[in-house]
Amino acid sequence: MKAYIEEAEKVLLHTYNRYQLVLDKGEGVYLYDTEGKKYLDFCAGIAVFALGYGNQEYNNALKGQIDKVIHTSNYYYNVPTIEAAKKLTKAAGMDRVFFTNSGTEAVEGAIKAARKYAYLKDGKRDHEIIALEHSFHGRTMGALAVTGNPKYREAFEPLIGNVRFAKMNDWESVISQVNEKTCAILLETVQGEGGIHPSREEFLKKIRELCDERDILLILDEIQCGMGRCGTMFAWQKYGIRPDIMTTAKALGCGIPVGAFLMTEKIANASLVPGDHGTTYGGNPLAGAAINKVLDLFEANNIIENVNSVGNYLKEQLELLAEKYEVILERRGEGLMQGLEFACPVGPYIKRAMEHGLILINAGEKIIRFIPPLIIEKKHVDEMICILSVCLEEEKEK
Ligand SMILES: *Cc1c(COP(=O)(O)O)cnc(C)c1O
């Protein structure tokens, strides 16, 4: 492994401080490094690999499509992507979809649609977007502009302008920034990278009402919290509201790089038209085949029921851990998207866990994030808690 890492550090652009681990293969909820060591995976490639590793049905669907045709461009139609669009709009309760290659591109598309919608109404070019502090929406210039972490933005400014930041679950901070230029309010239904902060039902409902009253678009970023992770197909579905535009990615392709932004018919009819937006790869037949199979397997394998039962168990077990160890301040989150906030940086705990064969990730300096494959079982939660307890004891004794 050391040799691989040395080679990597000579050629890869140094944009990550990676863990000293070279992963080689996966099986179910376990990953193996190049030396054959086994790891229980509570990261799932950052909330991507929902179905676990080596799902034969998924793999065969991809192989079949590779042998037929991988790419044709968006000048033509292709069947897998038509099917994927039907299934995804149905699962999301939205009307129309545009497929992208990543999450950040889905956010770019959502922003463009919102600006176009406002532009068609009044012809002005100074519309504003309200986003939230501690949000994460991606690394391209538009998505970065609405990401509520000044450290990520600063060196790359000027980004797209006219973005204001409000606070999660703080109605005053939102309403005080709304004006006649506001074209959209954009938020993650449950903030991921920013530390696992769920939005409250009344907060979302008030924003929805405000948006209806003022013809402002509500954009929900479901790239991390969606696709069943919080116990419904998309996290907003349990709040009895519907966004005007939403984004998804990560688990949507379960490893094939895909994303999407979806919208209601009303917005679709009054925003982007031919020539306004495009992508070479987005929604190609291979991506379509992946999304299709993922959505089929979600249903066939009762993924969402599993998230609810195992998610509740995870919640109980994390609560117990938080009671037992003073260093843990709080548990947050829903379903299989949960976090423990520590009183200190969590890096040392994550390193130790890796030595003991458990892959965890952080969300900010002091939060461990639990975003396992959605097929995990209670016994895997037990295994994780057992290893994490050992790490907590070892750090205590240090
Ligand atoms: C990961 C993430 C993105 C960016 O997705 P990429 O595929 O990395 O571009 C955007 N929004 C949220 C909420 C995310 O978690």
Side-chain angles (χ1 to χ4, degrees):
M1 263 193 336
K2 237 182 134 213
Y4 282 128
I5 292 168
E6 270 165 26
E7 283 173 8
E9 289 307 330
K10 279 186 201 143
V11 286
L12 293 177
L13 194 64
H14 197 103
T15 53
Y16 285 95
N17 288 317
R18 289 176 220 260
Y19 294 106
Q20 301 297 294
L21 185 57
V22 186
L23 291 169
D24 187 41
K25 61 173 188 174
E27 213 178 274
V29 297
Y30 294 94
L31 283 164
Y32 295 81
D33 68 20
T34 47
E35 282 160 28
K37 184 174 164 187
K38 186 179 177 183
Y39 301 84
L40 174 63
D41 180 20
F42 261 70
C43 169
I46 319 182
V48 168
F49 234 104
L51 298 169
Y53 303 100
N55 182 302
Q56 279 313 307
E57 262 190 75
Y58 173 79
N59 290 358
N60 288 338
L62 294 184
K63 287 175 194 163
Q65 190 59 49
I66 286 170
D67 287 337
K68 264 178 122 176
V69 63
I70 295 174
H71 180 80
T72 55
S73 93
N74 280 307
Y75 286 135
Y76 318 98
Y77 300 93
N78 75 77
V79 177
T81 298
I82 297 169
E83 289 297 319
K86 285 197 316 205
K87 287 175 196 168
L88 181 60
T89 50
K90 182 159 176 259
M94 303 293 282
D95 300 312
R96 289 181 185 269
V97 56
F98 182 102
F99 289 110
T100 67
N101 313 292
S102 65
T104 199
E105 285 170 81
V107 173
E108 297 289 333
I111 292 172
K112 280 180 75 175
R115 279 197 171 178
K116 181 78 191 290
Y117 179 82
Y119 173 80
L120 287 176
K121 278 196 302 183
D122 63 14
K124 294 193 176 141
R125 289 179 288 172
D126 59 352
H127 295 109
E128 296 182 354
I129 294 174
I130 297 177
L132 297 188
E133 290 172 12
H134 305 295
S135 63
F136 182 83
H137 297 291
R139 301 291 198 155
T140 54
M141 296 306 238
L144 193 55
V146 290
T147 286
N149 182 340
K151 261 199 268 173
Y152 287 174
R153 295 196 310 262
E154 203 174 87
F156 307 102
E157 289 173 345
L159 304 167
I160 68 162
N162 292 16
V163 178
R164 292 166 176 265
F165 289 97
K167 291 187 168 63
M168 177 61 109
N169 294 324
D170 180 342
W171 173 245
E172 262 315 301
S173 77
V174 175
I175 191 73
S176 66
Q177 308 209 54
V178 172
N179 61 42
E180 69 287 348
K181 292 183 192 171
T182 311
C183 72
I185 300 176
L186 162 66
L187 65 151
E188 295 154 270
T189 319
V190 179
Q191 287 184 338
E193 312 289 321
I196 314 288
H197 294 282
S199 55
R200 289 201 205 102
E201 180 165 351
E202 66 272 18
F203 180 68
L204 267 188
K205 281 193 161 149
K206 271 186 160 171
I207 291 180
R208 180 67 272 178
E209 271 171 37
L210 170 80
C211 288
D212 286 338
E213 273 164 27
R214 308 243 192 143
D215 202 15
I216 294 167
L217 301 188
L218 171 59
I219 306 173
L220 291 180
D221 182 343
E222 289 264 341
I223 290 169
Q224 188 160 158
C225 62
M227 289 302 291
R229 187 157 289 281
C230 291
T232 45
M233 195 60 189
F234 293 101
W236 58 263
Q237 288 170 330
K238 71 177 128 194
Y239 294 93
I241 54 132
R242 184 166 78 140
D244 300 293
I245 302 175
M246 64 161 267
T247 58
T248 171
K250 290 199 164 90
L252 178 64
C254 278
I256 294 292
V258 299
F261 62 98
L262 297 97
M263 59 183 80
T264 61
E265 194 67 28
K266 179 184 166 205
I267 311 308
N269 287 334
S271 60
L272 301 175
V273 296
D276 276 345
H277 199 53
T279 164
T280 299
Y281 286 132
N284 82 11
L286 184 63
I291 296 167
N292 255 327
K293 200 37 127 182
V294 167
L295 292 172
D296 286 350
L297 288 171
F298 260 66
E299 247 182 56
N301 297 345
N302 301 317
I303 294 290
I304 289 176
E305 276 141 64
N306 190 61
V307 170
N308 282 309
S309 70
V310 182
N312 272 336
Y313 187 67
L314 175 64
K315 190 178 194 168
E316 286 165 20
Q317 296 304 309
L318 291 178
E319 295 280 2
L320 287 178
L321 215 58
E323 271 168 38
K324 192 166 165 202
Y325 293 95
E326 236 169 64
V327 69
I328 304 174
L329 303 179
E330 193 185 27
R331 184 213 62 86
R332 288 193 294 269
E334 288 161 52
L336 293 176
M337 180 172 182
Q338 300 196 36
L340 287 179
E341 180 156 359
F342 279 57
C344 59
V346 295
Y349 296 92
I350 293 177
K351 265 205 186 124
R352 257 182 215 283
M354 198 172 292
E355 285 161 20
H356 291 295
L358 168 66
I359 293 181
L360 292 172
I361 51 164
N362 64 313
E365 202 194 359
K366 295 182 175 172
I367 294 137
I368 296 183
R369 180 167 34 157
F370 302 87
I371 46 173
L374 303 186
I375 57 157
I376 61 155
E377 300 167 28
K378 287 181 184 169
K379 66 178 185 201
H380 301 123
V381 173
D382 291 337
E383 188 183 343
M384 180 277 288
I385 293 285
C386 182
I387 298 175
L388 185 54
S389 303
V390 169
C391 300
L392 281 156
E393 290 296 335
E394 286 176 356
E395 274 298 304
K396 218 160 117 184
E397 281 158 23
K398 205 182 66 178

Coordinates of all heavy atoms in Angstrom, one line a residue, residues 102-104 136-138 188 221 223-224 250, ligand 1:
S102 N -23.1 14.8 -12.2 CA -22.6 14.9 -10.8 C -23.6 15.8 -10.0 O -24.6 16.4 -10.6 CB -21.3 15.6 -10.8 OG -21.4 17.0 -11.3
G103 N -23.4 15.9 -8.7 CA -24.3 16.7 -7.9 C -24.1 18.2 -8.2 O -25.1 18.9 -8.3
T104 N -22.9 18.6 -8.2 CA -22.6 20.0 -8.4 C -23.3 20.5 -9.7 O -23.8 21.6 -9.8 CB -21.1 20.3 -8.4 OG1 -20.9 21.7 -8.1 CG2 -20.4 19.9 -9.6
F136 N -23.7 22.8 1.9 CA -22.7 22.3 0.9 C -23.5 22.0 -0.4 O -24.4 21.2 -0.3 CB -21.9 21.1 1.4 CG -20.9 20.7 0.3 CD1 -19.7 21.3 0.3 CD2 -21.2 19.7 -0.6 CE1 -18.7 21.0 -0.7 CE2 -20.3 19.3 -1.5 CZ -19.0 20.0 -1.6
H137 N -23.1 22.6 -1.5 CA -23.8 22.3 -2.7 C -22.9 21.9 -3.9 O -23.4 21.7 -5.0 CB -24.7 23.5 -3.1 CG -25.8 23.8 -2.1 ND1 -26.9 23.0 -1.9 CD2 -25.9 24.9 -1.2 CE1 -27.6 23.5 -1.0 NE2 -27.1 24.6 -0.5
G138 N -21.6 21.9 -3.7 CA -20.7 21.5 -4.7 C -19.6 22.4 -4.9 O -19.5 23.5 -4.3
E188 N -30.5 22.3 1.7 CA -30.5 20.8 1.8 C -31.6 20.5 2.8 O -31.6 21.1 3.9 CB -29.2 20.3 2.4 CG -28.0 20.5 1.5 CD -26.7 20.6 2.3 OE1 -26.3 21.7 2.7 OE2 -26.1 19.6 2.5
D221 N -32.0 20.6 -2.1 CA -30.9 19.8 -2.5 C -30.9 18.5 -1.8 O -30.7 18.5 -0.5 CB -29.6 20.6 -2.2 CG -28.3 19.8 -2.7 OD1 -28.4 18.6 -2.9 OD2 -27.2 20.4 -2.8
I223 N -29.2 15.8 -2.7 CA -28.1 15.0 -3.2 C -27.5 14.0 -2.2 O -27.2 12.8 -2.6 CB -27.0 15.9 -3.8 CG1 -27.5 16.6 -5.0 CG2 -25.7 15.2 -4.0 CD1 -26.6 17.8 -5.5
Q224 N -27.5 14.4 -0.9 CA -27.0 13.5 0.1 C -28.1 12.8 0.9 O -28.1 11.7 1.2 CB -26.0 14.2 1.0 CG -25.3 13.3 2.0 CD -24.0 13.9 2.6 OE1 -23.6 13.4 3.6 NE2 -23.4 14.8 1.9
K250 N -25.4 11.4 -6.0 CA -24.8 10.4 -5.1 C -25.5 9.0 -5.3 O -25.1 8.3 -6.2 CB -24.9 10.9 -3.6 CG -23.9 12.0 -3.4 CD -23.5 12.3 -1.9 CE -22.2 13.1 -1.8 NZ -22.5 14.5 -1.8
Ligands
LIG1 C1 -22.0 15.8 -2.5 C2 -23.0 16.9 -2.5 C3 -23.0 17.8 -3.6 C4 -22.0 17.8 -4.7 O1 -22.1 16.6 -5.5 P1 -20.8 16.2 -6.4 O2 -21.4 14.9 -7.1 O3 -19.7 15.9 -5.5 O4 -20.6 17.3 -7.3 C5 -24.0 18.8 -3.6 N1 -24.9 18.9 -2.6 C6 -24.9 18.1 -1.6 C7 -25.9 18.2 -0.5 C8 -23.9 17.1 -1.5 O5 -23.9 16.3 -0.4

